[in-house]
Amino acid sequence: MIRRAAYPCHRAAALTAGCAVKAVLLAAMLLGPAAAQAKPPLREVKEIDDELYYIAVAKEISDLCGDISGRRMKAIGVMWNLRSKANRLGYSDAEIRAYVESDAEKARMRAKGEAFLARHGVSYEKPETFCALGRAEIERNSAIGVYLRAN
């Protein structure tokens, strides 16, 4: 049994600054582990998932168009920064690795990328369409174009 005398903030009177700080610290201690587990899946962290998507589409374009190469060092640097950002958001390296290596996530990303390519008239049967899209993305300096370089 907790003695009330040991906790002077129990009264219904107005909360003092000291009591407010104690209440916030207690709540953080009690809710901290639960809040850490309430993280959304990394696929729902837009700034991480979108950037990986842009890199993946740029890689597909550079792989299928001989006139365009990928800016791999830029992509690697961005991926390291994304990892650091995910770590700061509370994701462990194991969680990040599981997300990046997940077959389901790869399939989701591929489907999203193929839909983008199709909307822009790109066809796997016509490699020149990859080049046309790649040049347009480079020209626009788009989120995808920054990972591409015309040879």
Side-chain angles (χ1 to χ4, degrees):
M1 179 105 181
I2 298 175
R3 292 182 350 173
R4 287 185 177 249
Y7 298 96
C9 295
H10 77 280
R11 294 186 198 119
L15 217 50
T16 65
C19 288
V21 169
K22 288 176 187 174
V24 169
L25 289 175
L26 180 61
M29 287 173 29
L30 294 175
L31 297 176
Q37 292 178 1
K39 302 181 299 246
L42 271 167
R43 73 185 295 177
E44 293 176 13
V45 181
K46 189 169 176 48
E47 60 270 22
I48 291 174
D49 191 66
D50 284 355
E51 204 64 38
L52 289 175
Y53 165 73
Y54 303 143
I55 292 169
V57 172
K59 182 175 181 342
E60 189 79 355
I61 291 170
S62 68
D63 285 350
L64 294 166
C65 175
D67 295 340
I68 294 176
S69 58
R71 297 183 64 203
R72 290 190 173 116
M73 294 308 288
K74 177 175 179 56
I76 290 169
V78 168
M79 287 189 286
W80 278 108
N81 288 338
L82 292 174
R83 177 181 171 251
S84 294
K85 182 176 209 154
N87 286 148
R88 285 191 307 275
L89 292 172
Y91 295 91
S92 69
D93 287 345
E95 289 172 309
I96 297 165
R97 194 174 314 105
Y99 162 69
V100 172
E101 295 175 358
S102 163
D103 289 338
E105 290 303 323
K106 287 178 187 177
R108 179 186 65 84
M109 195 72 70
R110 175 158 284 288
K112 184 177 172 182
E114 287 176 353
F116 170 82
L117 295 171
R119 279 193 312 276
H120 288 85
V122 175
S123 168
Y124 282 90
E125 289 78 36
K126 298 178 184 175
E128 66 275 7
T129 59
F130 281 90
C131 295
L133 176 61
R135 283 191 292 275
E137 294 295 316
I138 292 168
E139 180 68 28
R140 287 184 33 231
N141 198 32
S142 70
I144 294 168
V146 297
Y147 295 107
L148 299 170
R149 177 182 23 249
N151 294 337

